[in-house]
Amino acid sequence: MTERATGLLLIGATLLAYQLGLLLYRRAARRVWLHPLLTGTLLMALLLTALNISFAEYRQHTLLFDQLLGLATVALALPLHREFHHLKAFIGPVTVTVIFGGLVACATALGLAALAGGSHELLLALAPKSVTTPIALSIAEQLNANTGLTTGVVIFTGILGALMAPLAFRVTGLQDPRSQGLVLGINAHGVGTARAFETNPITGAFASLAMGLTGAFTALWLPATVQALTRGF
Amino acid sequence: MIPGLLILIAYQLVGELISYWLNWPIPGPVVGMLLLLASLRLGAVLWPRGWLVATETAGKALIDNLSLLFLPAGVGIFFLPDHIQAQWPAVLAAIVLATFISMVLCAILLRWLSRHHD
């Protein structure tokens, strides 16, 4: 097959895998463990294995998606701008929790993974796990981490975070929709935000705010800190 | 739609250049996002009024399909090198346990903050 035909086939297959995942997700009343990212990536992995196409080759043909991801990141400024008045009214708790949560999400992941015997390479890829994927990918690139691993970790963190959030809210008795949105956006980024919008529009607005702010905050401190630490050794 | 994409591309390009020139650790798209937010907040939009609507349209299309855009990179989790696969307990500890602990800690902090806020 020609290069162009292979590329077209792989882009088409990616769209189809996502669309099938989306249909299944909607039919299953948006159960989080059937998130189209989960089913879509699994379908694509099976297809690549069946066609004997390497992941590296697949990525070469799907760089278009990464370009669009950059633009989508810029576009996150739009919901941030739209919900700015909500942010202003709750600015204190938002700021404190985003800073605290951004640090804690990273620290708990690194701490527990190190305790469980994770290697230096794995820890680097895990560091941005709670950050929205486009930002996590940029951070991973700057840390020279395995970007495929980071993306996978980020996506599964989002899915599992959204899945475990109701339990965390019950354990702590957290009922305020603004606060619930913040917890989801800080710890489960885009997937958590999508779930938050399904609960309540205010929860969704705060989740997208928290997602954007946590991403920007982490992009500001994490690469610089790791570079400084690595230089120190 | 097209003017909207042009605006997003312009902001990302400026972001990439700033990030490159200043040798910043902040990725170009994030700088672009912060610049766009600042422009919108300050009302300092130099483009025609209709272009803002086009930017909303393009932005909504991208954000609505955000999951799709990171699907190709996400497939990577099924093709990890063997030495990473061998460390699955560490991966699970970080994704499951650490995420839950972090959520609970954030929730406790928010309950405490809300009590003092309202």
Side-chain angles (χ1 to χ4, degrees):
Chain A
M1 212 182 326
T2 65
E3 272 297 282
R4 195 166 58 187
T6 311
L8 207 53
L9 174 78
L10 290 175
I11 292 173
T14 306
L15 292 176
L16 184 65
Y18 183 72
Q19 190 60 32
L20 287 175
L22 204 57
L23 287 175
L24 187 68
Y25 184 56
R26 287 182 181 147
R27 284 199 77 128
R30 295 177 176 267
R31 279 178 223 288
V32 74
W33 44 270
L34 278 177
H35 194 276
L37 262 179
L38 202 60
T39 48
T41 48
L42 183 62
L43 275 174
M44 273 318 297
L46 290 173
L47 185 73
L48 292 180
T49 311
L51 295 178
N52 202 16
I53 294 173
S54 76
F55 178 63
E57 192 186 347
Y58 170 63
R59 289 301 285 136
Q60 267 176 18
H61 287 293
T62 48
L63 288 176
L64 171 69
F65 291 84
D66 301 60
Q67 290 284 23
L68 291 175
L69 203 46
L71 297 182
T73 308
V74 178
L76 286 176
L78 297 164
L80 277 176
H81 172 60
R82 214 166 22 237
E83 308 298 343
F84 211 76
H85 57 288
H86 287 299
L87 172 73
K88 252 160 105 182
F90 205 53
I91 187 77
V94 169
T95 314
V96 174
T97 318
V98 162
I99 293 173
F100 172 82
L103 295 170
V104 164
C106 178
T108 49
L110 292 183
L112 287 177
L115 276 180
S119 66
H120 181 70
E121 184 196 359
L122 179 66
L123 295 188
L124 277 185
L126 286 175
K129 76 162 178 75
S130 284
V131 178
T132 183
T133 314
I135 301 181
L137 269 180
S138 309
I139 294 176
E141 271 166 22
Q142 279 164 8
L143 299 178
N144 282 322
N146 180 331
T147 50
L149 176 58
T150 298
T151 315
V153 163
V154 168
I155 292 165
F156 281 81
T157 296
I159 293 167
L160 290 165
L163 195 67
M164 295 184 294
L167 181 63
F169 297 153
R170 215 174 313 133
V171 170
T172 55
L174 189 74
Q175 284 164 345
D176 177 41
R178 295 171 303 183
S179 300
Q180 289 193 351
L182 288 177
V183 173
L184 277 165
I186 290 169
N187 293 289
H189 56 88
V191 186
T193 302
R195 289 293 287 180
F197 271 115
E198 288 163 22
T199 323
N200 176 330
I202 297 175
T203 313
F206 272 82
S208 35
L209 282 174
M211 170 179 73
L213 290 174
T214 308
F217 170 63
T218 310
L220 285 171
W221 74 268
L222 186 60
T225 308
V226 172
Q227 277 160 18
L229 285 175
T230 318
R231 231 174 280 135
F233 288 121
Chain B
M1 181 79 174
I2 302 296
L5 284 174
L6 281 174
I7 297 222
L8 295 177
I9 288 173
Y11 270 88
Q12 188 182 340
L13 271 177
V14 173
E16 300 282 358
L17 288 176
I18 291 178
S19 178
Y20 177 75
W21 279 334
L22 298 181
N23 201 10
W24 268 8
I26 314 166
V30 180
V31 178
M33 175 186 83
L34 296 174
L35 286 175
L36 180 56
L37 180 64
S39 311
L40 292 167
R41 291 313 309 163
L42 297 170
V45 284
L46 300 171
W47 59 79
R49 183 86 198 130
W51 286 38
L52 185 60
V53 180
T55 310
E56 292 277 354
T57 311
K60 193 181 181 311
L62 288 167
I63 293 172
D64 282 351
N65 296 295
L66 202 55
S67 299
L68 166 68
L69 300 182
F70 37 81
L71 197 154
V75 176
I77 202 154
F78 297 104
F79 297 95
L80 295 179
D82 291 342
H83 67 282
I84 295 284
Q85 281 184 29
Q87 301 179 51
W88 64 267
V91 177
L92 274 188
I95 300 185
V96 182
L97 213 55
T99 304
F100 187 71
I101 292 172
S102 175
M103 283 197 297
V104 167
L105 290 177
C106 286
I108 291 171
L109 175 67
L110 273 165
R111 285 212 63 179
W112 186 81
L113 287 172
S114 306
R115 219 174 295 146
H116 294 263
H117 180 79
D118 292 322

